Amino acid sequence: MIEKELIEKCKKGDLGSFTKVVDQVSPFVFSVAFRLTGDEETARDIVQETMVTVWQKINRINTPESFKTWLYRITTNKCYDLLRKRKRSPELRIGENEWRLLSQLISEEEDSMIENEEAAIIIKILTDRLSSMQKSVFVLSELEGMSADEISKVTGILKTRVKANLYYARKKIGMMLKNILQYDKNRGTI
Amino acid sequence: MTKTEEQYKRLITRLRYAKPELKRADELSDEIIRKIRGLRHKGLTIQGIADSIFGWIYIPWVRRSLIGAAFILVMVFVYQQVFIIRQVRDLSSKITNISNGTPTPSIPELDRKLTIYKISAGLSSSSETKINDNKIKELIESYESLQSKYKDLIRIIDKNPHLKKYVEKELENQRNLKTNL
Amino acid sequence: MKKLKPGLVISMAFLMTASCNEPKTVVTNIVHPDGSVTRKIEMKSSEKNFRITNVQVPCDSTWTVRDSLEIGEKGDTLWVKRAEKTFTDVEEINLAYKSDSGLNKNFPRHAEFKKRFRWFNTEYTFKEIIDKNMHYGYPVSDFLDSEELKWFYYPDSHIEKMKNGPDSIKYRALNDTVDKKVENWMIKSLVSEWIAEFSNLLGENSKNELSAESLMNNEDRFVTIVKKYDEKFDSLWSNGIILKEFIGEASAIKYKTQADSAVNISINRLLADFRDYTLRTIMPGKVTEMNGMIDSSGVLMWPVKSDYFLTQTYEMKAVSKVPNIWAWIVSGVFISFVIYGAIIRKRG
């Protein structure tokens, strides 16, 4: 991810080098934050907070590998705190647009691009009934492609708990999908 | 694989590859750097102080040693307190509550001492034994005290004719009893 | 020292104990955390003029003395003398014991104080110890079971109270049993002491039949003889009959001097003239261990009687603990610091 020399320069207080670090990792941090929070502005704020924290505590990092895990951890923790603070939203209403989007995604066609807002909506629909931890694990595993070991290091929970959370997340999402598709069938759209 | 699972997999794959796009990245980057510069100008921040105080948590052997020491301290505390509570509980079940009083020679103790005196006096081979001067002095004092109390008692009895008659009668009865025996 | 016939000794003993005019004495030790001890003596008597200098524990002109009057339980007037002194440490108390010229000066006594730092608590131990009189006697616990032993160590006032209270029949029977066993103990201890001293005096002069081992093997026989002759004992001993029955005629004649010396030594130890008193101790903090009793004011107390240190050292011990608040605070801060650090690390 980041070169060791760059980390060393940042440790010495080189803001120029840190700017390069920001440029390199911001998209990645934004991706995680956006998928977890579902809101662009919130995700940008989290990127800012994360990078400031990284700058303040960069002396603790020795290797690029530990940097990656650490970065994930800070981002996930900030998103997790936010998700826990948020009050439970009322039951999500799925409108025509949402139906169309879902149908599109699960149909055979794979060429169409998905906008940020659309992806956010879909993720929101899928993870609406998940707990904060289940959502974090789902996003990191299914969408960010991390292994259970990596997720365990990032979240600080045991690997078995990671697997358990993932199992329940998939189960809930699967059930939700089933209900949605059944409803769709009855409506005659699929 | 069921249809639902297929659809799930397809959905997830599409979502995975549809990475959220960071718009106005430069703006964000500038904001971050501006914020950091602002922090630097403030000088030593609370965060900096916290970093100095808690820097040890990032050194593995220091972290483990301190956690170990804290754990041992907690165990020692729990052990000590449990031990004390148990000691106090054991003590309260064993203690005897005594009404205030100082030792007085009781009659059975007297009997015991007399027996020992008799035996010990017998064991002493000579027909003599040694006694302390103070003891003799105490004996004389006791004797005089008893004598004066006896005189007081006789005076009280003499003053009261009814009481005198009663005492004389009782003495007579006791004398007769001894004679009969 | 005067020399008197035995019969007169017995009469004197009877008279002295029957008069009961001695002041009742209570000695209280207030132990302070720094090791200093404030000692208080309280003497109560129905007689007006009694001296405080002749007390059961060392007491001299350096003590602060106060007089007062009280009304006793039976409505009688009690003259009270109170004395107080603070000793900087137990060594000062021990020096006073060594130079004691009071009633109990012939009895080696000393005090001990220990302070142990245990981080969360400080442990204080205070003991007053009276050395045993007899060197070869038996422990009283060999003759009494646990209930009887408890009874043996009760103060006389408590014994009287229990004998006249509910279950008086049971306690009177217990008291009689204890008395008989204690008498047996004393006789056995006296005999054992005599045998040991006699052996020591014989030394290398003794032949096989008068060796220490042989005499000890015959101990029970001698105790039986003592009990058998009972009231006739004194005359039979004076005539040498008892000694002949024990060690044979030839030896009795040959070693009469040593036998008599041994008897004198043993009797002096048995009849040691100790004036009883009550000892109380107030410890800093919470008492966690002690081998005495608690009086009606919640203070640790021990009756101090000559029987208790006849054949064993009498140790009056109390242990207490005082929490070290500063250590609790420091430990709490340290543990909180470590826990907080661990949380921070986890959160990144």
Side-chain angles (χ1 to χ4, degrees), chain A residues 145-157:
Chain A
M146 291 176 85
S147 66
D149 264 331
E150 288 170 321
I151 296 172
S152 172
K153 280 181 191 165
V154 164
T155 57
I157 61 172

Side-chain angles (χ1 to χ4, degrees), chain C residues 282-339:
Chain C
I282 298 169
M283 296 292 288
K286 200 183 270 184
V287 174
T288 54
E289 203 184 309
M290 60 92 106
N291 61 352
M293 285 155 267
I294 292 189
D295 68 14
S296 53
S297 52
V299 174
L300 313 179
M301 65 90 84
W302 295 260
V304 186
K305 293 195 231 181
S306 55
D307 291 354
Y308 297 163
F309 52 91
L310 185 63
T311 57
Q312 287 165 283
T313 303
Y314 187 38
E315 186 181 276
M316 294 162 276
K317 177 181 169 185
V319 180
S320 71
K321 285 187 169 105
V322 174
N324 297 324
I325 300 298
W326 63 267
W328 288 45
I329 292 168
V330 164
S331 303
V333 165
F334 173 71
I335 290 165
S336 307
F337 176 74
V338 169
I339 291 171

Side-chain angles (χ1 to χ4, degrees), chain A residues 36 79-80 83-85 130-137:
Chain A
L36 282 171
C79 294
Y80 188 65
L83 289 171
R84 281 195 306 153
K85 277 179 195 166
L130 298 183
S131 68
S132 312
M133 181 53 73
Q134 286 167 355
K135 186 173 181 178
S136 302
V137 169

Side-chain angles (χ1 to χ4, degrees), chain B residues 111-126:
Chain B
D111 282 345
R112 193 165 70 231
K113 283 201 163 147
L114 280 173
T115 312
I116 298 299
Y117 270 123
K118 275 189 209 169
I119 294 163
S120 59
L123 283 170
S124 175
S125 63
S126 66

